[in-house]
Amino acid sequence: MSRLPMILVNFFYAQPVGHAVEALHYAHGHHAADPTRNISVALNAATAVELADLCPFVEHAYAIDHPFLEPATHSDLSVLPREWDWVLDDPRRHQAFQTDTFAGMRDYYAASDAHLIAREGRSIAGFGRYPYLPHQPLRFALEPADLEQRTIAVMLAGSSEPALYPSLTAWRSILDALHAAHPGVRPALIGRTTRDARTSSALDRRALLDHPSKPLDAYDLPLKQQLAIVKASELFLSPHTGFGLAALATGTPWLTISGGRWFEYYFNHVPFRSVIPDVERFPCFSQFSPAMIVDGRTPSMSDARIAADLDRIVESATELLSGTLTYEQALIDYFADLKAATGDIWSIDGVHVGR
C-alpha cells in the first residue's frame, strides 16, 4: 500500500487562541482543496493546541515548546517529524517587522528550516504554491452543552491589559440593557483566571455574578467545555478577542464591541456584528503601536464610549438573536464601516475583495 502524502501547516505564532484557529482555518482550506492529503499542524505549545482535536481533518497537532518573544538559546524540535511532502509556513515568517519584533519566532523558523525536509516543496499556508480553497466554513466537531434556558455567552475581556477592555461598570450597564430587552436570556460568563504561559482574562467576573440576569459562571472550565456552552448559546458577546474566532467555529454568531488595538478580520460564514466606535471621539485600532490610554483606559473602551454605543449594542444583539441577519449582509456592512473608520482594510483570504 502506498504511503499517503503528508502536509505540515507550520504555524508557530503568538499564543492567543485566535492564532490556533487561524492555523486550523488554513489547514481546512488545504484539506478542502485535496482531501486525499494527510494534514498536520505545528503550533506554539502555549496556544490552544487541543482545538485540533475538534478538527477531524487534522491528523496530528504538534505542540512546539519554544520562546516566541525572546531569542532562543537552543531550539529543540525533536517532537516534530523531519520528513514531509510539503511544509506550509505561517506567511508572517516572511515579514521583516514580525521577525525583527519577535526574536523567538525568528529563531524557530530558522531552526525549522534546518530541521524539516520537504520532499515536494515548501511554501506558505493559504495562497501559495500548494492547492488551497479560501473562505471555507470551519466547524468544530463538538456537542453543545445542555443549557436550561436561552443563553448569551459573554467574554468580558481578552488577554491584554485591562485598560483595553470595558470596565466592570460598563459591563454592568450592558448586562442591564440586555436584560431589559431580553429578560428570558441568561448570560454565561466565559473566561480564564489561571496565570501561566497561556492567555488569561484581563477582568474577573465576580463583581457581576449578582446581576439580576443570574449569570452562569463558566470561568475556568476546560476550553472544550466552554466552547460547548458557546455552541449552545444564541450569541457570543465580547470586545475584540481571539476567542471570538473559536466561537465562530462553533457556529454561534459573534457580537463584538469593536475598537481594540485590532479590528476583526475573519468571520467563518456565521452572521456577526462589530460595533465600531466613532473613531474621531474614541480613537482605536492602533495595531502594533501602543494604544492611547486616557484616565486609565483606552478611549474606545471608556465608560463614555460604551454609553454612546449602548443602544447599538442592544440593537445588534436583538438582530442576531432574531436570526434575520445573513452572513453576506454582515460582511458588506462591516467592511463599509471598517473602511470608513480606518481608510484601509485587510482580511484573511481576501474576503473583503468585491464587497
Side-chain angles (χ1 to χ4, degrees), residues 16 18 26 102 114 117 179 185 206 213 223 227 255 259 265 267 269 281 321 329 335:
Y26 283 123
F102 306 122
I117 298 171
H179 185 54
V185 180
R206 285 175 290 187
S213 59
L223 177 59
L227 286 172
L255 170 55
Y265 56 88
F267 293 106
H269 293 259
R281 291 181 61 195
L321 289 169
Q329 189 61 53
F335 289 133

Side-chain angles (χ1 to χ4, degrees), residues 34-283:
D34 184 359
T36 67
R37 298 268 183 166
N38 280 353
I39 294 184
S40 294
V41 294
L43 299 171
N44 187 336
T47 193
V49 180
E50 65 267 36
L51 292 180
D53 297 339
L54 305 178
C55 300
F57 57 87
V58 173
E59 180 173 346
H60 195 85
Y62 297 95
I64 307 300
D65 188 4
H66 192 279
F68 177 72
L69 294 173
E70 303 300 325
T73 56
H74 173 66
S75 298
D76 180 6
L77 304 189
S78 58
V79 68
L80 197 57
R82 295 198 69 193
E83 294 193 19
W84 301 85
D85 292 326
W86 280 86
V87 174
L88 308 174
D89 295 322
D90 181 350
R92 296 178 183 88
R93 69 153 302 179
H94 298 295
Q95 298 173 353
F97 75 92
Q98 298 269 4
T99 53
D100 290 346
T101 303
F102 306 122
M105 170 189 166
R106 174 202 65 207
D107 293 345
Y108 168 77
Y109 282 105
S112 76
D113 285 348
H115 177 74
L116 297 173
I117 298 171
R119 286 182 287 252
E120 295 182 31
R122 189 159 185 166
S123 186
I124 60 171
F127 291 111
R129 293 189 294 125
Y130 187 74
Y132 179 70
L133 286 181
H135 203 194
Q136 298 298 301
L138 173 67
R139 295 291 180 274
F140 291 148
L142 179 72
E143 291 297 318
D146 185 11
L147 301 179
E148 296 178 355
Q149 66 184 88
R150 298 178 68 195
T151 302
I152 294 175
V154 178
M155 181 166 277
L156 305 175
S159 58
S160 296
E161 56 268 33
L164 300 184
Y165 305 109
S167 69
L168 290 172
T169 298
W171 271 114
R172 184 167 286 274
S173 71
I174 292 169
L175 294 184
D176 285 345
L178 289 173
H179 185 54
H182 303 283
V185 180
R186 180 189 193 190
L189 303 183
I190 304 291
R192 185 173 187 267
T193 60
T194 303
R195 303 291 174 177
D196 54 21
R198 290 195 169 197
T199 58
S200 57
S201 302
L203 293 180
D204 199 338
R205 80 294 190 193
R206 285 175 290 187
L208 297 173
L209 292 178
D210 65 348
H211 192 267
S213 59
K214 298 181 180 179
L216 170 66
D217 185 4
Y219 261 58
D220 293 324
L221 294 176
L223 177 59
K224 293 177 185 177
Q225 196 170 341
Q226 289 188 337
L227 286 172
I229 291 172
V230 173
K231 184 170 183 175
S233 299
E234 297 182 36
L235 175 67
F236 176 71
L237 168 64
S238 74
H240 180 90
T241 169
F243 191 94
L245 302 189
L248 291 171
T250 72
T252 296
W254 183 15
L255 170 55
T256 316
I257 304 170
S258 193
R261 288 177 61 191
W262 307 95
F263 54 78
E264 293 69 54
Y265 56 88
Y266 166 61
F267 293 106
N268 207 0
H269 293 259
V270 181
F272 66 91
R273 283 296 190 201
S274 284
V275 179
I276 297 175
D278 179 341
V279 295
E280 292 188 3
R281 291 181 61 195
F282 308 112

